């Protein structure tokens, strides 16, 4: 019996303390009881102690604990497996490399691209390491990666702005990009079919917009989280945006790597030397090829 009374006393004491706290913080709440329904009163009273938790906190916690890491794990495993199956079943496109070499990327564009590529890979690996920090034991190593992630992000953000200015004209969506998506650029067929596409095909345009605009948004949200530059809810929202954009960037990065290094044999050379072989340009970037031909840049 003594234990029951003790427990009851503790409960009453805590309840009283909560009421006193509510009275000092929001006097109008407790005084208005009776003027509003019990449900409305409870919601208003509960707000004193939970704050904005009811708005974003619970959603963020559930996503953080149950979904974010699992989704990243699925992406890391599933996407490479899908591309492995594609490579084994469909194989890579092969084009003649003996024909005319068409200027495709300027030296400035290539340099800016490779800076973006290197910094992006560093951010990707360091970001994933932080997500799976427990596998690396946490501690000083993860803190070092956090600092590296933030520093490299600054370089990437500046580089992404330059890249945006250089290539935005070539990345403007066109009506025929819809058809490109409907046939997946012809990559689901073993035969090479001429697909109407610009200097950047529809898939590359998506990657461009996601990597530049999305990358800048990632930099902004990352800044907010890194320096705690905002309210608790601002930090939560920034973290959710940062994480979801990170998922999209990870997925598209896998696509970009596969298409550039494996799906089209020799395609990566265009970003190294700046030239694209005529047959590849004619088949995979037909609209831009015809434009160059009409302007006299191609001798065929």
């Amino acid at each position: 019996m003594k234990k029951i009374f003790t427990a009851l006393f503790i409960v009453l004491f805590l309840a009283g303390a909560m009421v006193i706290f509510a009275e000092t913080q929001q006097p109008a709440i407790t005084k208005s009881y009776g003027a509003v329904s019990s449900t409305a009163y409870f919601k208003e009273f509960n707000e004193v102690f939970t704050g904005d938790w009811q708005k974003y906190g619970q959603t963020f916690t559930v996503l953080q604990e149950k979904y974010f890491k699992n989704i990243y794990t699925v992406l890391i495993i599933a996407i490479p497996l899908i591309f492995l199956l594609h490579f084994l079943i469909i194989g890579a496109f092969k084009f003649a490399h003996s024909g005319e070499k068409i200027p495709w990327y300027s030296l400035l564009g290539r340099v800016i691209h490779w800076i973006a590529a290197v910094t992006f890979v560093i951010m990707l690996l360091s970001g994933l390491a932080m997500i799976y920090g427990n596998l690396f034991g946490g501690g000083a190593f993860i803190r070092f990666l956090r600092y590296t992630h933030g520093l490299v992000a600054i370089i990437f953000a500046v580089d992404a702005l330059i890249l945006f200015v250089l290539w935005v004209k070539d990345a403007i969506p066109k009506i025929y990009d819809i058809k490109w998506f409907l046939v997946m650029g012809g990559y689901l067929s073993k035969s090479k079919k001429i697909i109407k596409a610009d200097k950047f095909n529809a898939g590359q345009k998506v990657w461009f917009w996601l990597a530049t605009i999305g990358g800048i948004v990632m930099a902004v949200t990352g800044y907010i989280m890194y320096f705690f530059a905002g309210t608790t809810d601002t930090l939560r929202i920034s973290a959710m945006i940062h994480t979801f954009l990170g998922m999209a960037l990870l997925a598209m990065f896998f696509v970009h790597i596969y298409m550039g290094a494996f799906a089209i044999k020799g395609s990566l050379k265009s970003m190294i030397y700046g030239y694209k072989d005529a047959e590849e340009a004619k088949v995979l970037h037909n609209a831009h090829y015809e434009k160059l031909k009409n302007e006299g840049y191609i001798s065929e």
Side-chain angles (χ1 to χ4, degrees), residues 169-170 198 285-298:
K169 183 179 178 180
D170 296 315
D198 291 321
H285 302 273
N286 184 258
H288 190 64
Y289 176 87
E290 293 297 330
K291 176 184 176 182
L292 293 178
K293 186 176 178 179
N294 293 334
E295 293 175 353
Y297 292 102
I298 300 176

Side-chain angles (χ1 to χ4, degrees), residues 94-104 192-195 197-198 264-267 269-270 274-293 297-300:
K94 299 178 182 179
F95 297 99
H97 297 287
S98 57
E100 185 175 359
K101 306 294 183 183
I102 305 174
W104 209 258
K192 294 180 290 187
K193 299 178 181 179
I194 294 179
I195 306 295
D198 291 321
I264 308 168
K265 189 174 181 179
S267 176
K269 292 180 179 179
S270 63
Y275 295 92
K276 194 173 285 291
D277 294 299
E279 185 187 11
E280 180 185 339
K282 183 177 182 179
V283 174
L284 299 180
H285 302 273
N286 184 258
H288 190 64
Y289 176 87
E290 293 297 330
K291 176 184 176 182
L292 293 178
K293 186 176 178 179
Y297 292 102
I298 300 176
S299 59
E300 291 185 14

Side-chain angles (χ1 to χ4, degrees), residues 27-92:
I29 294 178
T30 52
K31 292 178 180 178
S32 64
Y33 186 78
V36 296
S37 68
S38 58
T39 302
Y41 171 78
F42 174 77
K43 289 181 178 179
E44 191 175 0
F45 184 81
N46 192 50
E47 180 70 17
V48 174
F49 301 98
T50 61
D52 290 331
W53 165 257
Q54 299 297 327
K55 296 179 181 179
Y56 305 109
Q58 189 171 10
T59 301
F60 173 74
T61 302
V62 171
L63 290 173
Q64 186 74 17
E65 292 183 351
K66 296 184 178 181
Y67 296 104
F68 284 160
K69 185 181 292 186
N70 291 334
I71 293 174
Y72 271 107
T73 302
V74 170
L75 292 175
I76 292 171
I77 296 174
I79 297 179
L81 283 178
I82 291 172
F83 288 140
L84 176 61
L85 289 174
H86 179 274
F87 190 80
L88 294 175
I89 297 172
I90 305 297

Side-chain angles (χ1 to χ4, degrees), residues 144-193:
F144 168 76
L145 290 180
R146 179 176 178 270
Y147 298 144
T148 302
H149 191 87
L151 178 62
V152 172
I154 298 173
I155 301 173
F156 176 83
V158 174
D159 192 79
L161 285 171
I162 299 173
L163 202 63
F164 180 85
V165 173
L166 288 177
W167 288 350
V168 64
K169 183 179 178 180
D170 296 315
I172 297 175
K174 303 289 179 60
I175 294 297
Y176 47 76
D177 288 333
I178 298 175
K179 183 178 180 180
W180 189 97
F181 278 116
L182 292 176
V183 299
M184 295 303 293
Y187 291 105
L188 298 182
S189 174
K190 291 185 178 182
S191 61
K192 294 180 290 187
K193 299 178 181 179

Side-chain angles (χ1 to χ4, degrees), residues 201-223:
N201 61 42
Q204 289 173 316
K205 290 178 181 180
V206 170
W207 173 238
F208 168 84
W209 290 103
L210 183 61
T212 55
I213 302 302
I216 293 171
V217 173
M218 289 281 282
V220 173
T221 53
Y223 170 84

Side-chain angles (χ1 to χ4, degrees), residues 204-270:
Q204 289 173 316
K205 290 178 181 180
V206 170
W207 173 238
F208 168 84
W209 290 103
L210 183 61
T212 55
I213 302 302
I216 293 171
V217 173
M218 289 281 282
V220 173
T221 53
Y223 170 84
I224 293 173
M225 293 187 295
Y226 195 93
F227 294 102
F228 297 94
T231 64
T232 301
D233 279 326
T234 301
L235 292 172
R236 289 168 177 159
I237 294 171
S238 297
M240 287 187 282
I241 293 173
H242 199 86
T243 303
F244 282 120
L245 270 176
M247 294 173 186
L249 284 165
L250 174 64
M252 286 302 297
F253 176 73
F254 279 138
V255 175
H256 188 61
I257 291 296
Y258 177 71
M259 300 307 294
F262 299 99
I264 308 168
K265 189 174 181 179
S267 176
L268 193 60
K269 292 180 179 179
S270 63

